[in-house]
Amino acid sequence: MRYSATTMCAVLALAVGATGASAQDLPGSYDGVTIDAKLIGGQQYESLYGRIAEWEAATGATVNVISKKNHFELDREIKSDIATGELGWCVGSNHSSFAPQYPGIYTDLSALLSEDALADFVDANLGAATLGGKLVMLPRAQFDVSALYYQKDIYDDADNQAAFEAEYGYALAVPETWDQVADQAKFFADAPNFYGTQYAGKEEAIAGRFYELLVANGGEFLNADGEPAFNSEAGVEALQWFVDLYSAKAVPVGVPNYLWDDLGQGFASGTVALNLDWPGWAAFFNDPDASRVAGNVGVAPPPKGSADKRTGWSGFHGFSVTEDCENPEAAASLVWFLTNEDSQKLESAAGPLPTRDSVWEYVIEQAKDDPYRSEVLMAFQEAAATAFPVPQTPSWIEITNVLYPELQAAILGDKTPQEALDDAAKEATYILEDAGEL
């Protein structure tokens, strides 16, 4: 099953080696040591943290979680720590999209962990976690690429089928293109009680969704010379998609303030027909104790843009150890423990995609008698086959910070899509020039 795991991450393909302590030394003995940690919080990330107590019991150390926030807030906090020199904490949540901004603050985990300890990770993930020759994070079972969740019964309804075909001239079916998503979202919408779809409308979330639709429409974010190129015809087409759905009231009025948890809770509430979302929500959506759509959830690969390409913005979460950590061996043990085989089995049981080959084998085997889980894996495997990472620039997050307000301005009708993207491209150019990338 190594091929399947590698395929899931093919867009990130690189390789890395490791030297250091032997695998059997983990988790180790660290009586009296306290590890301060800054972790990402949110429904899909929390179950793993229950294992921290197991690591503490095994090692004699203590973990002090000094911050738990979403990654956008955590990113700002880490940048503040860099500016003030307050980097004495040891373990931090990281992400492949954020990591290029601050590789200098994190230690090389390949110097603290052995080849055996790292051997089971998908090579492509370890490669993408290696910046400047340093393995700056270990991937957890949170490989992110999105698929389309939908409520099955609205597609099976004969009245819906007849009315939709009469209005749009083609049969109602799970959408294969983003134009079809737009048609169906408008058709299903009955604001304020029910919405056709939704999207996260601020920070990197909306910038990333715009980016992947831009690519699916045949555009590029940065051109071959590294210059902003998203204010193109393909970019205007992509942004217009968001604008049209908002103006048609096919999405909730609050989407400009939505982030990922808002989307997950929204779809689980039963008030949204179609929802492009991450694999970590799969089990939650189908849990009758948590979700009103449980038993009624279908999952399909992400639709295609006008260039016949699927959207496929991808990345993965992980954990890093700071250079200033007083106990790097203990911190590395904790990071390894939170990403080991048992931890990845725990996380992947709820839907997230693993980053260890052995856990991929396990997940596929476990799903064979579960039609819903098999459908989820098939959809996400197809999504990952054509997935792509963010542009490989350290300025990605800073660019998204000037891009997303402009996207919001267009969505709210304060600027045309072309005006918004032109203004964002100017600001992005300044950022790249100041960073010495242009």
Side-chain angles (χ1 to χ4, degrees):
M1 290 301 181
R2 171 173 281 271
Y3 176 78
S4 296
T6 304
T7 298
M8 293 300 295
C9 305
V11 297
L12 305 173
L14 287 169
V16 68
T19 60
S22 63
Q24 60 265 30
D25 289 340
L26 301 174
S29 179
Y30 305 105
D31 288 338
V33 171
T34 297
I35 298 296
D36 289 336
K38 296 194 172 189
L39 304 177
I40 187 171
Q43 181 273 332
Q44 70 188 87
Y45 309 110
E46 294 294 331
S47 63
L48 176 64
Y49 302 147
R51 297 210 72 212
I52 290 175
E54 297 179 44
W55 181 82
E56 291 174 323
T59 63
T62 300
V63 178
N64 178 31
V65 179
I66 58 177
S67 185
K68 188 183 287 185
K69 300 176 178 178
N70 71 48
H71 231 313
F72 306 110
E73 294 170 339
L74 200 60
D75 176 61
R76 286 190 285 270
E77 184 174 308
I78 291 172
K79 287 174 178 173
S80 176
D81 291 344
I82 293 171
T84 59
E86 299 293 331
L87 290 166
W89 48 275
C90 282
V91 170
S93 287
N94 208 342
H95 190 280
S96 57
S97 293
F98 288 78
Q101 301 174 103
Y102 30 65
I105 73 170
Y106 292 126
T107 197
D108 184 2
L109 290 168
S110 67
L112 297 169
L113 300 169
S114 72
E115 291 182 4
D116 286 346
L118 301 174
D120 189 40
F121 286 96
V122 174
D123 289 342
N125 288 126
L126 282 190
T130 302
L131 301 174
K134 294 169 58 179
L135 179 60
V136 298
M137 68 171 167
L138 286 192
R140 64 191 283 185
Q142 291 283 350
F143 176 67
D144 283 340
V145 65
S146 297
L148 192 68
Y149 297 91
Y150 61 94
Q151 295 197 42
K152 293 189 292 187
D153 61 355
I154 62 176
Y155 286 90
D156 295 334
D157 184 275
D159 291 339
N160 282 345
Q161 293 170 356
F164 181 85
E165 187 161 8
E167 183 172 353
Y168 289 94
Y170 63 93
L172 178 63
V174 177
E176 296 181 359
T177 70
W178 284 108
D179 284 345
Q180 291 173 358
V181 171
D183 289 345
Q184 294 177 21
K186 294 170 186 176
F187 174 78
F188 289 130
D190 183 23
N193 301 310
F194 194 81
Y195 297 95
T197 190
Q198 56 184 350
Y199 49 79
K202 66 178 182 179
E203 313 236 23
E204 189 211 21
I206 181 63
R209 289 299 188 219
F210 163 77
Y211 161 64
E212 65 179 342
L213 189 50
L214 164 74
V215 172
N217 288 344
E220 54 185 359
F221 197 83
L222 302 177
N223 64 23
D225 295 321
E227 300 165 331
F230 51 75
N231 56 332
S232 59
E233 182 177 345
V236 171
E237 180 187 7
L239 180 50
Q240 191 67 53
W241 186 91
F242 296 94
V243 172
D244 288 347
L245 288 177
Y246 191 81
S247 63
K249 298 182 179 180
V251 298
V253 68
V255 293
N257 291 313
Y258 279 17
L259 287 174
W260 306 124
D261 279 1
D262 302 297
L263 300 186
Q265 297 296 337
F267 185 70
S269 74
T271 61
V272 177
L274 295 155
N275 181 45
L276 184 73
D277 221 325
W278 309 106
W281 290 103
F284 182 81
F285 290 153
N286 211 39
D287 179 358
D289 293 330
S291 171
R292 293 184 178 179
V293 295
N296 188 38
V297 183
V299 192
K304 297 177 180 180
S306 59
D308 201 36
K309 298 179 181 179
R310 294 192 189 279
T311 51
W313 169 36
S314 70
F316 57 89
H317 291 261
F319 298 101
S320 299
V321 175
T322 63
E323 290 276 14
D324 292 350
C325 177
E326 292 185 1
N327 295 282
E329 292 82 7
S333 171
L334 174 62
V335 166
W336 178 87
F337 187 82
L338 293 176
T339 59
N340 71 9
E341 185 172 341
D342 288 340
S343 291
Q344 294 218 5
K345 285 179 179 178
L346 172 67
E347 284 209 279
S348 61
L353 306 180
T355 55
R356 282 179 171 268
D357 290 325
S358 63
V359 183
W360 263 108
E361 295 174 14
Y362 171 82
V363 165
I364 292 169
E365 176 66 22
Q366 291 293 305
K368 66 180 183 180
D369 296 323
D370 182 339
Y372 174 71
R373 183 69 175 133
S374 294
E375 181 181 357
V376 168
L377 288 172
M378 289 179 63
F380 280 102
Q381 192 165 21
E382 187 168 348
T386 55
F388 42 87
V390 302
Q392 295 302 294
T393 166
S395 299
W396 163 253
I397 294 297
E398 194 171 354
I399 291 173
T400 67
N401 286 339
V402 298
L403 174 59
Y404 87 78
E406 298 295 341
L407 300 178
Q408 289 177 324
I411 289 167
L412 295 173
D414 297 330
K415 294 183 179 181
T416 68
Q418 188 69 68
E419 290 170 342
L421 294 178
D422 285 345
D423 289 345
K426 290 178 184 177
E427 293 299 319
T429 299
Y430 297 147
I431 289 170
L432 291 165
E433 288 174 342
D434 287 347
E437 295 186 63
L438 287 180

